[in-house]
């Protein structure tokens, strides 16, 4: 009943939120003589802070309408090009001149771990000037009717394979955080089958390939609690009137609570600073806070079967590095990967996927030639800095793009390789 109580509490606060929003509008209105006073701004700030901390945050928009290609601004159109009940594949189609040499196709697999794919907006924006970008837009499980069936880790792997088949040859796949495991598994399955549409390269970023290495608080929690604890304490039924009513899920608000509790003091300070920015009429700083938390607080539910299977397989049994991961009854063998180039990226201060966890992929791909492998550790960044921010744009993205350029099937020798593997 916890999910139902959560929804009931949110509904019960609706009148208070409406009143707070009205007060904010009243005391922010320039026609109100109190709006220019410290007292008036304090009232408006209090009202906005209350409304923002008690609302439901809907799915954000990518909002990418243009990019620069060859130093020229071009329009960008977001299109759904492939769809299944739990995922849409989005393409950011650029309005390029006819006859221009095609850029590499990148399938960006966004994490299915509570936040929407828009968390990678900055990643998409960085890659768009240089690539034809597609991204997995995972759908909130509470919005998927129970009649559409289940979705587990096996289905996730199948979705990745289906998308690679849809995109065709010379596709390069990027997995950010959680999807590193299913993407590596999907590539291994394709190589085991001799699939000609296996990607040309895969880039795994801050992913939990082997969580026995440098275990973080997230890894330790899974080991200490065990699967039964998660099944009994965090799995809930979607309440009415959501389309997925009755479906068992891991609610997004629980995942968000876990994220925030890891750095609770920072979030409290950020909201205190937001209040003071509003009181001091510092609009730019306040808007940056809104932009960040509009994204960060927008969360989605995960199907119970996917969540529990992931916890058990990745964090408790360590099935992939132990050679015990199964897909549709067949063992997944990373040693079968002989042709798909592998780049792994880690952040020095990552507190979600510890150092060495992603790099472990190289130890599993024992038959992949050294020339097709590279690893990069970015100094002074945490988990989110691996795929977003100034260091990602300046230091990580160029390495990814160069690695992709060096491993394009169509013109693998067109550019010299600048990225070097630091594997010993």
């Amino acid at each position: 009943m916890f999910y139902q109580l959560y929804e009931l509490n949110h509904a019960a606060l609706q009148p208070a939120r409406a009143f707070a929003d009205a007060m904010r509008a009243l005391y922010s209105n320039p026609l109100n003589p109190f709006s220019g006073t410290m007292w008036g701004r304090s009232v408006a700030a209090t009202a906005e802070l209350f409304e923002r901390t008690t609302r439901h945050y809907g799915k954000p928009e990518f909002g990418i309408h243009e990019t620069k290609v060859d130093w020229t601004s071009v329009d960008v159109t977001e299109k759904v090009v492939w769809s299944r009940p739990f995922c849409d594949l989005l393409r950011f189609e650029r309005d390029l001149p006819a006859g221009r040499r095609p850029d590499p196709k990148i399938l960006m697999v966004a994490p299915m771990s509570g936040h929407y794919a828009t968390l990678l907006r900055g990643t998409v924006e960085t890659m768009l000037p240089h690539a034809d970008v597609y991204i997995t837009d995972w759908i909130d499980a509470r919005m998927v009717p129970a009649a559409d069936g289940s979705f587990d880790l096996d289905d996730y792997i199948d979705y990745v394979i289906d998308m690679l088949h849809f995109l065709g040859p010379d596709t390069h796949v990027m997995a950010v955080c959680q999807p590193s495991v299913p993407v590596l598994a999907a590539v291994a399955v394709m190589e085991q089958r001799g699939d000609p549409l296996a990607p040309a390269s895969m880039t795994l970023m801050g992913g939990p390939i082997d969580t026995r290495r440098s275990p973080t608080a997230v890894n330790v929690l899974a080991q200490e609690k065990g699967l039964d604890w998660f099944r009994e304490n965090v799995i809930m039924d979607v309440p009415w009137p959501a389309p997925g009513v009755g479906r068992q899920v891991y609610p997004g608000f629980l995942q968000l609570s876990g994220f925030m509790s890891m750095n609770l003091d920072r979030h409290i300070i950020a909201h205190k600073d937001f209040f003071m920015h509003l009181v001091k009429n510092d609009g730019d700083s306040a808007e940056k806070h809104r932009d960040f938390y509009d994204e960060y607080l927008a969360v989605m539910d995960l199907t119970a079967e996917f969540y529990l299977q992931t916890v058990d397989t990745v964090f408790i049994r360590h099935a992939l590095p132990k050679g015990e991961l199964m897909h549709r009854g067949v063992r997944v063998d990373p040693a079968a990967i002989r042709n798909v180039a592998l780049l792994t990226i880690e952040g020095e201060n990552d507190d979600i996927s510890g150092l060495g966890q992603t790099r472990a992929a190289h130890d599993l791909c024992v038959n992949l030639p050294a020339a097709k492998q590279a690893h990069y550790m970015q100094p002074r960044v945490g988990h989110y800095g691996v795929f977003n921010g100034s260091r990602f744009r300046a230091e990580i993205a160029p390495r990814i793009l160069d690695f992709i350029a060096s491993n394009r099937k169509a013109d693998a020798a067109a550019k010299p390789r600048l990225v070097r593997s630091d594997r010993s």
Side-chain angles (χ1 to χ4, degrees):
M1 295 294 292
F2 190 75
Y3 203 154
Q4 288 84 346
L5 290 173
Y6 172 82
E7 291 292 311
L8 181 62
N9 179 68
H10 179 265
L13 285 173
Q14 181 59 37
R17 276 194 303 277
F19 177 75
D21 200 36
M23 292 293 289
R24 179 200 59 78
L26 175 64
Y27 282 92
S28 300
N29 192 320
L31 296 180
N32 184 340
F34 293 106
S35 66
T37 67
M38 183 72 72
W39 182 80
R41 290 197 296 268
S42 296
V43 172
T46 301
E48 181 171 352
L49 194 60
F50 173 81
E51 192 278 331
R52 291 185 61 83
T53 53
T54 58
R55 74 159 74 154
H56 270 172
Y57 286 79
K59 179 183 176 182
E61 299 290 334
F62 276 99
I64 301 174
H65 303 296
E66 67 175 15
T67 189
K68 282 195 174 182
V69 179
D70 301 331
W71 300 280
T72 302
S73 292
V74 298
D75 292 336
V76 175
T77 305
E78 182 183 317
K79 292 183 177 180
V80 176
V81 295
W82 177 98
S83 185
R84 296 292 185 273
F86 292 90
C87 184
D88 290 331
L89 180 63
L90 301 183
R91 182 188 186 190
F92 296 90
E93 187 175 87
R94 302 166 301 165
D95 186 16
L96 299 176
R100 182 182 179 275
R101 179 175 174 271
D103 287 323
K105 289 178 292 187
I106 294 180
L107 170 59
M108 198 175 292
V109 185
M112 192 177 183
S113 55
H115 283 108
Y116 291 96
T118 50
L119 194 68
L120 304 188
R121 183 187 294 105
T123 320
V124 173
E125 288 176 329
T126 301
M127 307 304 281
L128 262 181
H130 315 283
D132 185 9
V133 178
Y134 299 77
I135 192 169
T136 57
D137 189 20
W138 301 107
I139 296 172
D140 188 347
R142 65 177 272 139
M143 304 304 294
V144 182
D148 284 335
S150 62
F151 181 86
D152 61 12
L153 189 57
D154 286 333
D155 295 310
Y156 196 123
I157 294 170
D158 288 338
Y159 272 34
V160 172
I161 294 173
D162 287 349
M163 285 184 273
L164 288 169
H165 284 172
F166 171 79
L167 293 176
D170 199 22
T171 298
H172 304 262
V173 61
M174 283 176 57
V176 180
C177 187
Q178 168 270 323
S180 293
V181 170
V183 165
L184 179 59
V187 171
V189 168
M190 296 178 82
E191 289 263 50
Q192 285 173 251
R193 296 172 179 173
D195 194 327
L197 296 180
S201 74
M202 62 174 161
T203 300
L204 310 181
M205 308 172 67
I209 299 298
D210 188 349
T211 58
R212 296 172 298 181
R213 304 187 182 189
S214 305
T216 63
V218 176
N219 311 146
V220 173
L221 176 66
Q223 287 289 317
E224 290 179 346
K225 297 297 184 181
L227 189 63
D228 288 340
W229 183 90
F230 287 95
R231 183 181 290 110
E232 294 168 6
N233 290 278
V234 304
I235 301 302
M236 303 175 188
D237 293 338
V238 175
W240 182 87
V245 58
R247 178 184 293 280
Q248 286 200 314
V249 298
Y250 173 51
F253 68 85
L254 285 184
Q255 180 77 320
L256 179 62
S257 299
F259 284 145
M260 297 194 72
S261 65
M262 294 177 67
N263 298 287
L264 185 59
D265 54 338
R266 294 183 186 177
H267 293 293
I268 292 173
I269 292 171
H271 282 77
K272 182 200 74 173
D273 291 343
F274 174 63
F275 178 86
M276 296 308 300
H277 292 321
L278 292 173
V279 172
K280 295 176 182 178
N281 204 25
D282 183 356
D284 289 343
S285 297
E287 193 58 35
K288 288 179 181 178
H289 176 97
R290 292 189 190 100
D291 289 344
F292 175 80
Y293 279 99
D294 282 353
E295 189 77 54
Y296 189 78
L297 298 177
V299 290
M300 56 184 284
D301 295 355
L302 312 180
T303 63
E305 57 273 15
F306 168 77
Y307 176 75
L308 292 174
Q309 190 177 357
T310 300
V311 169
D312 180 48
T313 302
V314 178
F315 297 102
I316 296 178
R317 293 195 295 111
H318 314 291
L320 181 61
K322 287 182 177 180
E324 300 171 357
L325 180 63
M326 305 294 289
H327 173 256
R328 305 296 183 197
V330 178
R331 187 175 71 87
V332 175
D333 183 15
I337 300 175
R338 299 173 182 270
N339 303 297
V340 180
L342 170 64
L343 169 64
T344 54
I345 297 172
E346 296 180 331
E348 181 182 24
N349 303 322
D350 195 331
D351 59 353
I352 293 179
S353 295
L355 275 179
Q357 292 188 10
T358 312
R359 186 174 182 170
H362 294 282
D363 297 328
L364 303 180
C365 300
V366 294
N367 290 317
L368 186 63
K372 284 183 170 289
Q373 299 187 55
H375 174 77
Y376 177 68
M377 189 277 289
Q378 176 62 51
R380 300 186 302 279
V381 301
H383 186 69
Y384 293 101
V386 170
F387 59 88
N388 214 337
S390 59
R391 290 195 176 99
F392 169 76
R393 292 189 296 271
E395 301 182 51
I396 297 176
R399 286 176 165 83
I400 297 174
L401 291 166
D402 181 76
F403 186 79
I404 288 173
S406 340
N407 288 283
R408 292 189 70 181
K409 293 179 180 178
D411 56 353
K415 287 181 61 179
R417 187 175 182 184
L418 301 179
V419 178
R420 295 287 183 265
S421 171
D422 63 0
R423 298 182 67 214
S424 56

